[in-house]
Amino acid sequence: MAMAALRREGRRCLSPLTSPNPIAAAAAAAVRSSLIAEEQAPCGVRSISTQVVRNRMKSVKNIQKITKAMKMVAASKLRAIQTKAENSRGLWQPFTALLGDTPSVDVKKNVIVTVSSDKGLCGGINSTSVKISKSLYKLNSGPDKETKYVILGEKAKAQLIRDSKKDIELSITELQKNPLNYTQVSVLADDILKNVEYDALRVVFNKFHSVVSFMPTVSTVLSPEVVERESEAGGEVGDLDSYEIEGGETKSEVLQNLAEFQFSCVLFNAVLENACSEQGARMSAMDSSSRNAGDMLDRLTLTYNRTRQASITTELIEIISGASALEG
Amino acid sequence: MASNAAVPFWRAAGMTYITYSNICANLVRNCLKEPHRSQSLNRETVHFAVSKWAAGQPEKPIFD
C-alpha cells in the first residue's frame, strides 16, 4: 500500500518542477504560475503565485514520510530475520565440511536457482543475483550441455523473462507471504527436485554481511551420481570412504538422501540470507531517499521564500512609488 | 527393520528424503503438549505459488 501511494506521489510531483537548480526552478515556477494566474486569479493581479511550489513541497514532505516509515518497517523486519539467517548458517556448514564446495565442477545438466525478492524498492540485490545467474549460464553453456533456470521471486522473473525465457523451467513466487520457515522451503526444494533433471544445482543468492553490504554468492549442490564420480576420481569432493555407513543402506542411497537434504538446507539458508539482504538493502535505500527528499525540500523552501520575498518587494516598490508620485 | 531393506519403504512409495523427514517432523510436532503443539504447527505454514514453464510461457500457477 505504501508503495502504491509512493508511486502516485511520484507521478504527481514529477510534472511541475524537475529542475534541480533552484533559480531555473524559480523561473519555471514563474512561467507556470503566470500561465495559471491567467486562468485562476482575477484580472489585474500581478503577484507571482506560489501555489505550485507549495503543492510540490507538500508532496515531497509526504514522500519523505512514506520512505521514513518504510525504513522503520524494514529495520524491524530485518531484526527478526537476521537471527534466523545467522542460525541457519549452521545447517549448510557441515555439508560443506563433508562434501566441499565445488563451484567449478563441469557437468552436463546445470540448473541455476536464482533467489530474488517479490517486492521492489530494495536497491540492487535483484539485479546482482540476475547478473550472476546470467554469467553462470554463459560459463556453463556448451554444445552438449543444458542449463535451465529456476526462479524464486517476482523480480528476477521480470528481468530474466526478457532475454532467456526459453530456459526458464520453474518459477516460484509468494514465498514471503508468511514468515519463512524450514517446512515451507523444504517442500519447495522437494518440488524443484521433482520437476527438474540436474547434475548440479547452483543456488544464486545475496549473502548478508551487514545492513549496507551483501555478497552475491553461489552454492553448488551436486547430484548423488556426480558426488560418487567425483569422490572416486579423487577430485575436490571430500574423502567419503573414511566414513562408516550404519545400517544396510548402500553408499549411493545415503548419498541420494544426503543430496536431497543438502539442497533443502542450502536453499533454506539462501532464502533467509536473501530476505535479510533485501531488508537491509531496502533500509539503506529508504534512508538515502528520505535524505534526498529532505534536500529537495530545502531547495524548494528556498525557492518558495525567494519568490515570496520578490513579490513582497515588488508590492512595496509599487506602493512607495505610488505614494511618492502623489506627493511629488 | 524396514529401513534395512534394499530400498527404504518410503522411497519405494515415491517419496524423497525431504518429504519423509517432513512427515516425521510433523508427527513429532503433533506429539507435543498443547500450547507448544499449536504454536509449532502454526509456525510451519506452507504457502507459495509454483508455475512450470513450457516453451517460454508460464503455465498456470499451482498454490501449495
Side-chain angles (χ1 to χ4, degrees), chain A residues 168-213:
Chain A
I168 300 175
E169 188 83 22
L170 273 180
S171 71
I172 294 106
T173 51
E174 290 184 29
L175 198 62
Q176 292 195 42
K177 279 231 164 130
N178 303 316
L180 291 164
N181 57 61
Y182 178 74
T183 315
Q184 184 187 25
V185 179
S186 65
V187 171
L188 171 67
D190 199 26
D191 269 15
I192 293 174
L193 288 180
K194 275 181 187 156
N195 282 307
V196 294
E197 284 181 17
Y198 68 98
D199 286 332
L201 291 153
R202 294 165 199 276
V203 187
V204 182
F205 62 100
N206 291 294
K207 192 171 181 179
F208 180 78
H209 268 231
S210 71
V211 178
V212 284
S213 80

mmCIF file of all heavy atoms in Angstrom, chain A residues 168-213:
data_model
loop_
_atom_site.group_PDB
_atom_site.id
_atom_site.type_symbol
_atom_site.label_atom_id
_atom_site.label_comp_id
_atom_site.label_asym_id
_atom_site.label_seq_id
_atom_site.Cartn_x
_atom_site.Cartn_y
_atom_site.Cartn_z
ATOM 1 N N ILE A 168 13.735 -20.937 -18.880
ATOM 2 C CA ILE A 168 13.134 -20.982 -17.545
ATOM 3 C C ILE A 168 12.362 -22.283 -17.400
ATOM 4 O O ILE A 168 11.570 -22.648 -18.265
ATOM 5 C CB ILE A 168 12.206 -19.774 -17.317
ATOM 6 C CG1 ILE A 168 12.994 -18.474 -17.447
ATOM 7 C CG2 ILE A 168 11.566 -19.856 -15.946
ATOM 8 C CD1 ILE A 168 12.145 -17.243 -17.368
ATOM 9 N N GLU A 169 12.639 -22.969 -16.320
ATOM 10 C CA GLU A 169 11.981 -24.262 -16.108
ATOM 11 C C GLU A 169 10.841 -24.125 -15.100
ATOM 12 O O GLU A 169 9.767 -24.644 -15.322
ATOM 13 C CB GLU A 169 13.028 -25.259 -15.597
ATOM 14 C CG GLU A 169 12.550 -26.679 -15.503
ATOM 15 C CD GLU A 169 12.622 -27.430 -16.816
ATOM 16 O OE1 GLU A 169 13.410 -27.010 -17.669
ATOM 17 O OE2 GLU A 169 11.883 -28.414 -16.978
ATOM 18 N N LEU A 170 11.104 -23.390 -14.048
ATOM 19 C CA LEU A 170 10.110 -23.239 -12.981
ATOM 20 C C LEU A 170 10.210 -21.820 -12.442
ATOM 21 O O LEU A 170 11.290 -21.243 -12.429
ATOM 22 C CB LEU A 170 10.438 -24.168 -11.820
ATOM 23 C CG LEU A 170 9.941 -25.605 -11.777
ATOM 24 C CD1 LEU A 170 10.436 -26.235 -10.517
ATOM 25 C CD2 LEU A 170 8.449 -25.673 -11.841
ATOM 26 N N SER A 171 9.088 -21.270 -11.998
ATOM 27 C CA SER A 171 9.195 -20.022 -11.250
ATOM 28 C C SER A 171 8.308 -20.108 -10.019
ATOM 29 O O SER A 171 7.204 -20.645 -10.078
ATOM 30 C CB SER A 171 8.814 -18.832 -12.129
ATOM 31 O OG SER A 171 7.448 -18.841 -12.366
ATOM 32 N N ILE A 172 8.836 -19.610 -8.925
ATOM 33 C CA ILE A 172 8.131 -19.711 -7.646
ATOM 34 C C ILE A 172 7.969 -18.305 -7.076
ATOM 35 O O ILE A 172 8.931 -17.538 -7.027
ATOM 36 C CB ILE A 172 8.914 -20.591 -6.650
ATOM 37 C CG1 ILE A 172 8.964 -22.027 -7.146
ATOM 38 C CG2 ILE A 172 8.269 -20.573 -5.279
ATOM 39 C CD1 ILE A 172 10.264 -22.459 -7.676
ATOM 40 N N THR A 173 6.758 -17.965 -6.688
ATOM 41 C CA THR A 173 6.525 -16.634 -6.114
ATOM 42 C C THR A 173 5.723 -16.773 -4.812
ATOM 43 O O THR A 173 5.328 -17.872 -4.430
ATOM 44 C CB THR A 173 5.752 -15.731 -7.085
ATOM 45 O OG1 THR A 173 4.603 -16.444 -7.530
ATOM 46 C CG2 THR A 173 6.590 -15.335 -8.260
ATOM 47 N N GLU A 174 5.498 -15.626 -4.200
ATOM 48 C CA GLU A 174 4.687 -15.525 -2.967
ATOM 49 C C GLU A 174 5.277 -16.337 -1.826
ATOM 50 O O GLU A 174 4.555 -16.825 -0.964
ATOM 51 C CB GLU A 174 3.248 -15.982 -3.217
ATOM 52 C CG GLU A 174 2.476 -15.020 -4.080
ATOM 53 C CD GLU A 174 1.033 -15.438 -4.238
ATOM 54 O OE1 GLU A 174 0.502 -16.084 -3.335
ATOM 55 O OE2 GLU A 174 0.442 -15.095 -5.265
ATOM 56 N N LEU A 175 6.606 -16.462 -1.827
ATOM 57 C CA LEU A 175 7.240 -17.265 -0.782
ATOM 58 C C LEU A 175 7.186 -16.566 0.566
ATOM 59 O O LEU A 175 7.129 -17.207 1.607
ATOM 60 C CB LEU A 175 8.693 -17.527 -1.182
ATOM 61 C CG LEU A 175 9.402 -18.655 -0.471
ATOM 62 C CD1 LEU A 175 8.724 -19.964 -0.758
ATOM 63 C CD2 LEU A 175 10.840 -18.710 -0.900
ATOM 64 N N GLN A 176 7.181 -15.229 0.529
ATOM 65 C CA GLN A 176 7.347 -14.498 1.780
ATOM 66 C C GLN A 176 6.049 -13.932 2.327
ATOM 67 O O GLN A 176 6.054 -12.974 3.085
ATOM 68 C CB GLN A 176 8.347 -13.370 1.589
ATOM 69 C CG GLN A 176 9.730 -13.904 1.367
ATOM 70 C CD GLN A 176 10.768 -12.831 1.529
ATOM 71 O OE1 GLN A 176 10.678 -12.031 2.432
ATOM 72 N NE2 GLN A 176 11.742 -12.824 0.655
ATOM 73 N N LYS A 177 4.917 -14.530 1.928
ATOM 74 C CA LYS A 177 3.652 -14.038 2.488
ATOM 75 C C LYS A 177 3.589 -14.319 3.975
ATOM 76 O O LYS A 177 3.161 -13.491 4.754
ATOM 77 C CB LYS A 177 2.485 -14.726 1.764
ATOM 78 C CG LYS A 177 2.166 -14.080 0.440
ATOM 79 C CD LYS A 177 0.700 -13.762 0.327
ATOM 80 C CE LYS A 177 0.454 -12.802 -0.789
ATOM 81 N NZ LYS A 177 -0.615 -13.243 -1.686
ATOM 82 N N ASN A 178 3.998 -15.540 4.341
ATOM 83 C CA ASN A 178 4.103 -15.881 5.763
ATOM 84 C C ASN A 178 5.568 -15.794 6.129
ATOM 85 O O ASN A 178 6.419 -15.817 5.253
ATOM 86 C CB ASN A 178 3.586 -17.294 5.990
ATOM 87 C CG ASN A 178 2.166 -17.461 5.524
ATOM 88 O OD1 ASN A 178 1.334 -16.612 5.781
ATOM 89 N ND2 ASN A 178 1.894 -18.534 4.797
ATOM 90 N N PRO A 179 5.863 -15.716 7.443
ATOM 91 C CA PRO A 179 7.278 -15.752 7.813
ATOM 92 C C PRO A 179 7.940 -17.035 7.308
ATOM 93 O O PRO A 179 7.323 -18.103 7.335
ATOM 94 C CB PRO A 179 7.245 -15.709 9.341
ATOM 95 C CG PRO A 179 5.863 -15.403 9.745
ATOM 96 C CD PRO A 179 4.990 -15.440 8.576
ATOM 97 N N LEU A 180 9.174 -16.901 6.850
ATOM 98 C CA LEU A 180 9.856 -18.053 6.267
ATOM 99 C C LEU A 180 10.093 -19.132 7.318
ATOM 100 O O LEU A 180 10.442 -18.840 8.448
ATOM 101 C CB LEU A 180 11.204 -17.597 5.705
ATOM 102 C CG LEU A 180 11.145 -16.704 4.486
ATOM 103 C CD1 LEU A 180 12.471 -16.031 4.269
ATOM 104 C CD2 LEU A 180 10.772 -17.507 3.276
ATOM 105 N N ASN A 181 9.880 -20.377 6.928
ATOM 106 C CA ASN A 181 10.192 -21.475 7.841
ATOM 107 C C ASN A 181 10.752 -22.643 7.052
ATOM 108 O O ASN A 181 10.652 -22.695 5.828
ATOM 109 C CB ASN A 181 8.959 -21.884 8.636
ATOM 110 C CG ASN A 181 7.827 -22.277 7.732
ATOM 111 O OD1 ASN A 181 7.944 -23.223 6.963
ATOM 112 N ND2 ASN A 181 6.741 -21.530 7.796
ATOM 113 N N TYR A 182 11.333 -23.586 7.789
ATOM 114 C CA TYR A 182 12.033 -24.667 7.104
ATOM 115 C C TYR A 182 11.079 -25.575 6.335
ATOM 116 O O TYR A 182 11.387 -25.991 5.218
ATOM 117 C CB TYR A 182 12.860 -25.491 8.102
ATOM 118 C CG TYR A 182 13.550 -26.627 7.432
ATOM 119 C CD1 TYR A 182 14.663 -26.389 6.627
ATOM 120 C CD2 TYR A 182 13.080 -27.923 7.532
ATOM 121 C CE1 TYR A 182 15.278 -27.424 5.960
ATOM 122 C CE2 TYR A 182 13.694 -28.960 6.861
ATOM 123 C CZ TYR A 182 14.793 -28.698 6.076
ATOM 124 O OH TYR A 182 15.398 -29.709 5.398
ATOM 125 N N THR A 183 9.911 -25.862 6.921
ATOM 126 C CA THR A 183 8.972 -26.759 6.248
ATOM 127 C C THR A 183 8.612 -26.245 4.870
ATOM 128 O O THR A 183 8.633 -26.988 3.878
ATOM 129 C CB THR A 183 7.683 -26.892 7.083
ATOM 130 O OG1 THR A 183 8.028 -27.074 8.433
ATOM 131 C CG2 THR A 183 6.848 -28.044 6.605
ATOM 132 N N GLN A 184 8.320 -24.945 4.831
ATOM 133 C CA GLN A 184 7.938 -24.321 3.569
ATOM 134 C C GLN A 184 9.041 -24.479 2.531
ATOM 135 O O GLN A 184 8.796 -24.918 1.406
ATOM 136 C CB GLN A 184 7.684 -22.844 3.865
ATOM 137 C CG GLN A 184 7.197 -22.050 2.709
ATOM 138 C CD GLN A 184 7.144 -20.584 3.066
ATOM 139 O OE1 GLN A 184 7.866 -20.126 3.950
ATOM 140 N NE2 GLN A 184 6.319 -19.850 2.382
ATOM 141 N N VAL A 185 10.262 -24.141 2.928
ATOM 142 C CA VAL A 185 11.363 -24.172 1.979
ATOM 143 C C VAL A 185 11.687 -25.614 1.583
ATOM 144 O O VAL A 185 12.033 -25.881 0.432
ATOM 145 C CB VAL A 185 12.598 -23.460 2.558
ATOM 146 C CG1 VAL A 185 13.752 -23.517 1.597
ATOM 147 C CG2 VAL A 185 12.270 -22.024 2.856
ATOM 148 N N SER A 186 11.517 -26.547 2.524
ATOM 149 C CA SER A 186 11.837 -27.925 2.156
ATOM 150 C C SER A 186 10.791 -28.492 1.200
ATOM 151 O O SER A 186 11.137 -29.237 0.275
ATOM 152 C CB SER A 186 11.960 -28.791 3.404
ATOM 153 O OG SER A 186 10.730 -28.867 4.047
ATOM 154 N N VAL A 187 9.531 -28.117 1.381
ATOM 155 C CA VAL A 187 8.505 -28.551 0.424
ATOM 156 C C VAL A 187 8.823 -27.973 -0.954
ATOM 157 O O VAL A 187 8.708 -28.654 -1.988
ATOM 158 C CB VAL A 187 7.101 -28.111 0.900
ATOM 159 C CG1 VAL A 187 6.064 -28.365 -0.170
ATOM 160 C CG2 VAL A 187 6.715 -28.843 2.157
ATOM 161 N N LEU A 188 9.270 -26.712 -0.938
ATOM 162 C CA LEU A 188 9.642 -26.056 -2.186
ATOM 163 C C LEU A 188 10.829 -26.762 -2.839
ATOM 164 O O LEU A 188 10.833 -27.022 -4.050
ATOM 165 C CB LEU A 188 9.992 -24.604 -1.865
ATOM 166 C CG LEU A 188 10.616 -23.794 -2.973
ATOM 167 C CD1 LEU A 188 9.612 -23.595 -4.068
ATOM 168 C CD2 LEU A 188 11.075 -22.465 -2.441
ATOM 169 N N ALA A 189 11.835 -27.110 -2.020
ATOM 170 C CA ALA A 189 13.015 -27.803 -2.543
ATOM 171 C C ALA A 189 12.608 -29.139 -3.140
ATOM 172 O O ALA A 189 13.109 -29.554 -4.202
ATOM 173 C CB ALA A 189 14.028 -28.006 -1.426
ATOM 174 N N ASP A 190 11.672 -29.802 -2.468
ATOM 175 C CA ASP A 190 11.156 -31.069 -2.957
ATOM 176 C C ASP A 190 10.509 -30.890 -4.324
ATOM 177 O O ASP A 190 10.735 -31.678 -5.246
ATOM 178 C CB ASP A 190 10.136 -31.564 -1.934
ATOM 179 C CG ASP A 190 9.888 -33.040 -2.075
ATOM 180 O OD1 ASP A 190 10.798 -33.726 -2.569
ATOM 181 O OD2 ASP A 190 8.809 -33.498 -1.689
ATOM 182 N N ASP A 191 9.702 -29.834 -4.460
ATOM 183 C CA ASP A 191 9.048 -29.548 -5.741
ATOM 184 C C ASP A 191 10.072 -29.315 -6.842
ATOM 185 O O ASP A 191 9.905 -29.772 -7.966
ATOM 186 C CB ASP A 191 8.165 -28.295 -5.612
ATOM 187 C CG ASP A 191 6.756 -28.666 -5.204
ATOM 188 O OD1 ASP A 191 6.581 -29.815 -4.759
ATOM 189 O OD2 ASP A 191 5.855 -27.827 -5.327
ATOM 190 N N ILE A 192 11.127 -28.588 -6.512
ATOM 191 C CA ILE A 192 12.148 -28.308 -7.517
ATOM 192 C C ILE A 192 12.831 -29.610 -7.929
ATOM 193 O O ILE A 192 13.011 -29.889 -9.119
ATOM 194 C CB ILE A 192 13.181 -27.300 -6.974
ATOM 195 C CG1 ILE A 192 12.535 -25.938 -6.762
ATOM 196 C CG2 ILE A 192 14.350 -27.156 -7.933
ATOM 197 C CD1 ILE A 192 13.426 -24.929 -6.104
ATOM 198 N N LEU A 193 13.181 -30.434 -6.929
ATOM 199 C CA LEU A 193 13.877 -31.689 -7.227
ATOM 200 C C LEU A 193 13.020 -32.604 -8.088
ATOM 201 O O LEU A 193 13.524 -33.313 -8.952
ATOM 202 C CB LEU A 193 14.244 -32.409 -5.932
ATOM 203 C CG LEU A 193 15.363 -31.799 -5.105
ATOM 204 C CD1 LEU A 193 15.598 -32.633 -3.877
ATOM 205 C CD2 LEU A 193 16.631 -31.718 -5.918
ATOM 206 N N LYS A 194 11.711 -32.577 -7.851
ATOM 207 C CA LYS A 194 10.837 -33.469 -8.620
ATOM 208 C C LYS A 194 10.672 -32.982 -10.048
ATOM 209 O O LYS A 194 10.415 -33.770 -10.949
ATOM 210 C CB LYS A 194 9.461 -33.545 -7.955
ATOM 211 C CG LYS A 194 9.402 -34.573 -6.848
ATOM 212 C CD LYS A 194 8.012 -34.598 -6.256
ATOM 213 C CE LYS A 194 7.968 -35.487 -5.032
ATOM 214 N NZ LYS A 194 6.857 -35.101 -4.155
ATOM 215 N N ASN A 195 10.788 -31.681 -10.266
ATOM 216 C CA ASN A 195 10.446 -31.136 -11.578
ATOM 217 C C ASN A 195 11.617 -30.883 -12.506
ATOM 218 O O ASN A 195 11.408 -30.588 -13.670
ATOM 219 C CB ASN A 195 9.664 -29.834 -11.407
ATOM 220 C CG ASN A 195 8.231 -30.104 -11.036
ATOM 221 O OD1 ASN A 195 7.554 -30.858 -11.714
ATOM 222 N ND2 ASN A 195 7.780 -29.531 -9.945
ATOM 223 N N VAL A 196 12.832 -30.949 -11.997
ATOM 224 C CA VAL A 196 13.958 -30.712 -12.901
ATOM 225 C C VAL A 196 14.917 -31.899 -12.853
ATOM 226 O O VAL A 196 14.997 -32.618 -11.865
ATOM 227 C CB VAL A 196 14.743 -29.427 -12.534
ATOM 228 C CG1 VAL A 196 13.885 -28.216 -12.735
ATOM 229 C CG2 VAL A 196 15.264 -29.482 -11.124
ATOM 230 N N GLU A 197 15.602 -32.087 -13.968
ATOM 231 C CA GLU A 197 16.686 -33.068 -14.001
ATOM 232 C C GLU A 197 17.982 -32.300 -13.887
ATOM 233 O O GLU A 197 18.178 -31.302 -14.571
ATOM 234 C CB GLU A 197 16.666 -33.823 -15.324
ATOM 235 C CG GLU A 197 15.567 -34.851 -15.394
ATOM 236 C CD GLU A 197 15.598 -35.586 -16.707
ATOM 237 O OE1 GLU A 197 16.633 -35.532 -17.396
ATOM 238 O OE2 GLU A 197 14.585 -36.194 -17.035
ATOM 239 N N TYR A 198 18.867 -32.786 -13.012
ATOM 240 C CA TYR A 198 20.061 -31.983 -12.782
ATOM 241 C C TYR A 198 21.268 -32.871 -12.512
ATOM 242 O O TYR A 198 21.134 -33.994 -12.040
ATOM 243 C CB TYR A 198 19.844 -31.053 -11.586
ATOM 244 C CG TYR A 198 19.733 -31.771 -10.271
ATOM 245 C CD1 TYR A 198 20.830 -31.871 -9.425
ATOM 246 C CD2 TYR A 198 18.541 -32.360 -9.885
ATOM 247 C CE1 TYR A 198 20.735 -32.548 -8.216
ATOM 248 C CE2 TYR A 198 18.441 -33.034 -8.693
ATOM 249 C CZ TYR A 198 19.531 -33.122 -7.866
ATOM 250 O OH TYR A 198 19.441 -33.798 -6.680
ATOM 251 N N ASP A 199 22.430 -32.340 -12.849
ATOM 252 C CA ASP A 199 23.683 -32.899 -12.364
ATOM 253 C C ASP A 199 24.256 -32.000 -11.286
ATOM 254 O O ASP A 199 24.915 -32.449 -10.374
ATOM 255 C CB ASP A 199 24.690 -33.035 -13.513
ATOM 256 C CG ASP A 199 24.317 -34.199 -14.405
ATOM 257 O OD1 ASP A 199 23.702 -35.145 -13.909
ATOM 258 O OD2 ASP A 199 24.630 -34.148 -15.605
ATOM 259 N N ALA A 200 23.989 -30.701 -11.465
ATOM 260 C CA ALA A 200 24.443 -29.756 -10.448
ATOM 261 C C ALA A 200 23.411 -28.645 -10.327
ATOM 262 O O ALA A 200 22.947 -28.108 -11.325
ATOM 263 C CB ALA A 200 25.794 -29.174 -10.822
ATOM 264 N N LEU A 201 23.053 -28.350 -9.082
ATOM 265 C CA LEU A 201 22.170 -27.214 -8.812
ATOM 266 C C LEU A 201 23.039 -26.082 -8.307
ATOM 267 O O LEU A 201 23.854 -26.273 -7.403
ATOM 268 C CB LEU A 201 21.158 -27.584 -7.736
ATOM 269 C CG LEU A 201 20.076 -28.599 -8.081
ATOM 270 C CD1 LEU A 201 19.637 -29.315 -6.833
ATOM 271 C CD2 LEU A 201 18.894 -27.916 -8.714
ATOM 272 N N ARG A 202 22.881 -24.931 -8.917
ATOM 273 C CA ARG A 202 23.670 -23.781 -8.472
ATOM 274 C C ARG A 202 22.714 -22.733 -7.915
ATOM 275 O O ARG A 202 21.936 -22.159 -8.646
ATOM 276 C CB ARG A 202 24.472 -23.214 -9.633
ATOM 277 C CG ARG A 202 25.527 -24.188 -10.116
ATOM 278 C CD ARG A 202 26.076 -23.789 -11.471
ATOM 279 N NE ARG A 202 26.723 -24.926 -12.113
ATOM 280 C CZ ARG A 202 27.973 -25.288 -11.870
ATOM 281 N NH1 ARG A 202 28.707 -24.596 -11.050
ATOM 282 N NH2 ARG A 202 28.503 -26.331 -12.488
ATOM 283 N N VAL A 203 22.792 -22.528 -6.619
ATOM 284 C CA VAL A 203 21.886 -21.590 -5.956
ATOM 285 C C VAL A 203 22.572 -20.227 -5.887
ATOM 286 O O VAL A 203 23.653 -20.110 -5.323
ATOM 287 C CB VAL A 203 21.512 -22.076 -4.544
ATOM 288 C CG1 VAL A 203 20.452 -21.193 -3.947
ATOM 289 C CG2 VAL A 203 21.040 -23.515 -4.584
ATOM 290 N N VAL A 204 21.936 -19.234 -6.505
ATOM 291 C CA VAL A 204 22.494 -17.877 -6.514
ATOM 292 C C VAL A 204 21.672 -17.011 -5.573
ATOM 293 O O VAL A 204 20.467 -16.906 -5.720
ATOM 294 C CB VAL A 204 22.451 -17.271 -7.934
ATOM 295 C CG1 VAL A 204 23.076 -15.898 -7.938
ATOM 296 C CG2 VAL A 204 23.150 -18.172 -8.910
ATOM 297 N N PHE A 205 22.338 -16.407 -4.608
ATOM 298 C CA PHE A 205 21.621 -15.555 -3.657
ATOM 299 C C PHE A 205 22.563 -14.487 -3.122
ATOM 300 O O PHE A 205 23.762 -14.515 -3.394
ATOM 301 C CB PHE A 205 21.051 -16.386 -2.493
ATOM 302 C CG PHE A 205 22.103 -17.085 -1.679
ATOM 303 C CD1 PHE A 205 22.532 -16.560 -0.472
ATOM 304 C CD2 PHE A 205 22.665 -18.260 -2.127
ATOM 305 C CE1 PHE A 205 23.497 -17.206 0.277
ATOM 306 C CE2 PHE A 205 23.641 -18.909 -1.391
ATOM 307 C CZ PHE A 205 24.054 -18.373 -0.196
ATOM 308 N N ASN A 206 22.012 -13.545 -2.379
ATOM 309 C CA ASN A 206 22.823 -12.488 -1.777
ATOM 310 C C ASN A 206 23.055 -12.819 -0.325
ATOM 311 O O ASN A 206 22.121 -12.875 0.463
ATOM 312 C CB ASN A 206 22.116 -11.141 -1.880
ATOM 313 C CG ASN A 206 22.065 -10.668 -3.293
ATOM 314 O OD1 ASN A 206 23.082 -10.366 -3.888
ATOM 315 N ND2 ASN A 206 20.875 -10.652 -3.861
ATOM 316 N N LYS A 207 24.301 -13.052 0.009
ATOM 317 C CA LYS A 207 24.616 -13.387 1.384
ATOM 318 C C LYS A 207 24.691 -12.113 2.209
ATOM 319 O O LYS A 207 25.301 -11.131 1.794
ATOM 320 C CB LYS A 207 25.935 -14.135 1.442
ATOM 321 C CG LYS A 207 26.180 -14.750 2.775
ATOM 322 C CD LYS A 207 27.369 -15.672 2.760
ATOM 323 C CE LYS A 207 27.506 -16.243 4.140
ATOM 324 N NZ LYS A 207 28.573 -17.159 4.277
ATOM 325 N N PHE A 208 24.087 -12.170 3.379
ATOM 326 C CA PHE A 208 24.003 -10.984 4.229
ATOM 327 C C PHE A 208 25.317 -10.787 4.979
ATOM 328 O O PHE A 208 25.802 -11.698 5.634
ATOM 329 C CB PHE A 208 22.854 -11.165 5.213
ATOM 330 C CG PHE A 208 22.665 -10.016 6.148
ATOM 331 C CD1 PHE A 208 22.047 -8.863 5.714
ATOM 332 C CD2 PHE A 208 23.103 -10.084 7.451
ATOM 333 C CE1 PHE A 208 21.862 -7.803 6.571
ATOM 334 C CE2 PHE A 208 22.925 -9.021 8.307
ATOM 335 C CZ PHE A 208 22.309 -7.888 7.864
ATOM 336 N N HIS A 209 25.900 -9.615 4.846
ATOM 337 C CA HIS A 209 27.100 -9.309 5.614
ATOM 338 C C HIS A 209 26.800 -8.295 6.705
ATOM 339 O O HIS A 209 27.019 -8.531 7.869
ATOM 340 C CB HIS A 209 28.201 -8.786 4.691
ATOM 341 C CG HIS A 209 29.078 -9.870 4.196
ATOM 342 N ND1 HIS A 209 30.435 -9.849 4.274
ATOM 343 C CD2 HIS A 209 28.765 -11.041 3.610
ATOM 344 C CE1 HIS A 209 30.924 -10.961 3.773
ATOM 345 N NE2 HIS A 209 29.935 -11.699 3.348
ATOM 346 N N SER A 210 26.296 -7.140 6.270
ATOM 347 C CA SER A 210 25.843 -6.143 7.235
ATOM 348 C C SER A 210 24.696 -5.397 6.576
ATOM 349 O O SER A 210 24.311 -5.733 5.458
ATOM 350 C CB SER A 210 26.982 -5.193 7.580
ATOM 351 O OG SER A 210 27.235 -4.380 6.480
ATOM 352 N N VAL A 211 24.154 -4.413 7.295
ATOM 353 C CA VAL A 211 22.973 -3.744 6.760
ATOM 354 C C VAL A 211 23.272 -3.100 5.409
ATOM 355 O O VAL A 211 22.423 -3.064 4.527
ATOM 356 C CB VAL A 211 22.473 -2.690 7.763
ATOM 357 C CG1 VAL A 211 21.284 -1.943 7.220
ATOM 358 C CG2 VAL A 211 22.101 -3.360 9.060
ATOM 359 N N VAL A 212 24.502 -2.622 5.240
ATOM 360 C CA VAL A 212 24.801 -1.929 3.993
ATOM 361 C C VAL A 212 25.520 -2.812 2.971
ATOM 362 O O VAL A 212 25.692 -2.397 1.841
ATOM 363 C CB VAL A 212 25.627 -0.656 4.244
ATOM 364 C CG1 VAL A 212 24.742 0.428 4.799
ATOM 365 C CG2 VAL A 212 26.786 -0.935 5.155
ATOM 366 N N SER A 213 25.953 -4.011 3.365
ATOM 367 C CA SER A 213 26.689 -4.790 2.374
ATOM 368 C C SER A 213 26.173 -6.217 2.284
ATOM 369 O O SER A 213 25.815 -6.826 3.300
ATOM 370 C CB SER A 213 28.176 -4.801 2.709
ATOM 371 O OG SER A 213 28.436 -5.738 3.696
#
